[in-house]
Amino acid sequence: VCHNGALIENSGSIGGVVSILTDITDLKRAEAALKESEERYRLLAENVKDVLWMMDTDYSLTYISPSVKNMTGYTPEEFMSLGLRHIVLPPHQRVFGTSLEKLLASERPPSLSYEVEYHRKDNSLGWAEITVALMRDTDGLVKGLTGVSRDITSRKQAQDALRESEERYRTLFETSPHATLMMDLQLNITMVNQRGLQLFGFNTQEEVMAINGLDHIAPEDQPHIQSLIQEIFETGESRSSYLSILKQDGMEVPCLATSSLVRDAAGDPQ
């Protein structure tokens, strides 16, 4: 930067020019670095799928990324005029507001994460996972909150579908007219329905789960059953066989048993 000034002689006439030069190389570099950093953050905010937002200590939104339109149907301007609390469903508004208040009131709080249900512009409902943290200025003073909202509607729907499926399975399992039980890879009984308790002569699940499945198969049938189970492990296919099971009082009961392999989510036997 160059600052120029006139050199005035005693007679009052201009005798020359005084120039003061200030090296601002570091300042220009810092400005360029800041501009580059701001550009990177702008590109990130405008292209990321998650919704980035900021609000002041009065809980008024000061910024929200353009991705909010894809998530909610509202433009950034529309969303900012409504505010987060008006988008979040009433059952979650109180939790949301209380969480923000606790965050601002804490000296060294961690970031908070929670799930809320929200309205879209087309009146459909969605679920979002919101992570909020304090935003501080260069002096370390709290100037507001910054958050990331991620749409988890598909995940919640999958969880609900799984829960419903498990409930239907449990109902079928518990009300089946056939004795049904599950065993682990060591053939320890892990679950049995009411008809199974009656067949074995037990009163509670705990009594049955304390035993190994082979212990309640007639001794003469055990070698055949062990061979059959090994075949199921090797082929992954169901097998049926006649055998005699031993009730709790030692009485033998002839049965037709059908066994299948249970696999975990990775496809491994469990």
Side-chain angles (χ1 to χ4, degrees), residues 30-67:
E31 289 177 346
L34 177 61
K35 183 178 180 180
E36 184 179 349
S37 175
E38 290 175 342
E39 182 65 16
R40 284 199 301 268
Y41 281 113
R42 183 185 67 80
L43 289 173
L44 175 64
E46 291 182 357
N47 291 281
V48 72
K49 288 181 64 177
D50 294 342
V51 177
L52 312 180
W53 51 268
M54 293 184 290
M55 63 170 51
D56 58 26
T57 53
D58 293 324
Y59 309 115
S60 297
L61 284 169
T62 57
Y63 171 79
I64 193 159
S65 62
S67 50

Side-chain angles (χ1 to χ4, degrees), residues 1-267:
V1 175
C2 179
H3 300 277
N4 297 317
L7 179 62
I8 308 299
E9 295 183 347
N10 292 334
S11 63
S13 61
I14 297 176
V17 176
V18 176
S19 296
I20 300 175
L21 301 177
T22 303
D23 187 349
I24 60 170
T25 302
D26 292 340
L27 176 61
K28 297 298 286 185
R29 287 174 178 168
E31 289 177 346
L34 177 61
K35 183 178 180 180
E36 184 179 349
S37 175
E38 290 175 342
E39 182 65 16
R40 284 199 301 268
Y41 281 113
R42 183 185 67 80
L43 289 173
L44 175 64
E46 291 182 357
N47 291 281
V48 72
K49 288 181 64 177
D50 294 342
V51 177
L52 312 180
W53 51 268
M54 293 184 290
M55 63 170 51
D56 58 26
T57 53
D58 293 324
Y59 309 115
S60 297
L61 284 169
T62 57
Y63 171 79
I64 193 159
S65 62
S67 50
V68 70
K69 192 173 191 306
N70 291 331
M71 182 171 166
T72 68
Y74 292 103
T75 65
E77 295 75 20
E78 290 171 332
F79 198 96
M80 288 181 68
S81 67
L82 292 170
L84 278 172
R85 291 193 180 190
H86 293 283
I87 303 298
V88 175
L89 260 62
H92 301 275
Q93 286 180 6
R94 183 176 179 181
V95 175
F96 179 71
T98 302
S99 298
L100 296 184
E101 291 170 2
K102 287 182 178 179
L103 192 60
L104 285 173
S106 302
E107 288 291 330
R108 289 179 171 271
S111 60
L112 296 177
S113 294
Y114 43 91
E115 298 177 354
V116 298
E117 196 171 12
Y118 67 92
H119 286 287
R120 295 192 181 97
K121 190 174 182 178
D122 62 4
N123 291 323
S124 64
L125 300 178
W127 279 89
E129 180 182 66
I130 299 179
T131 301
V132 190
L134 289 180
M135 184 168 54
R136 299 178 183 273
D137 59 21
T138 54
D139 296 322
L141 299 176
V142 176
K143 59 182 295 187
L145 298 163
T146 181
V148 178
S149 299
R150 172 171 296 179
D151 187 85
I152 58 168
T153 304
S154 295
R155 188 175 81 190
K156 295 290 287 187
Q157 290 173 341
Q159 290 174 345
D160 290 342
L162 178 61
R163 190 179 302 111
E164 291 175 5
S165 176
E166 289 175 341
E167 185 61 31
R168 286 195 300 269
Y169 166 77
R170 180 172 292 278
T171 300
L172 289 172
F173 179 84
E174 293 177 349
T175 60
S176 172
H178 305 291
T180 308
L181 55 91
M182 295 183 67
M183 296 184 288
D184 60 22
L185 298 180
Q186 289 72 46
L187 305 185
N188 297 308
I189 297 175
T190 58
M191 188 182 297
V192 62
N193 67 355
Q194 187 61 39
R195 184 66 185 91
L197 289 177
Q198 296 171 357
L199 179 64
F200 284 104
F202 289 100
N203 295 315
T204 66
Q205 288 264 353
E206 290 71 23
E207 291 177 293
V208 179
M209 291 169 64
I211 64 174
N212 186 276
L214 282 177
D215 293 338
H216 280 265
I217 295 176
E220 63 272 18
D221 289 330
Q222 289 186 12
H224 169 64
I225 295 302
Q226 287 176 310
S227 176
L228 194 70
I229 290 172
Q230 184 61 38
E231 186 178 340
I232 293 173
F233 284 155
E234 293 174 354
T235 65
E237 299 176 354
S238 300
R239 291 289 186 269
S240 297
S241 178
Y242 289 99
L243 73 159
S244 293
I245 64 105
L246 298 176
K247 293 174 67 76
Q248 185 183 27
D249 60 7
M251 177 182 175
E252 289 192 14
V253 179
C255 298
L256 172 62
T258 299
S259 303
S260 301
L261 197 61
V262 177
R263 299 181 183 274
D264 59 21

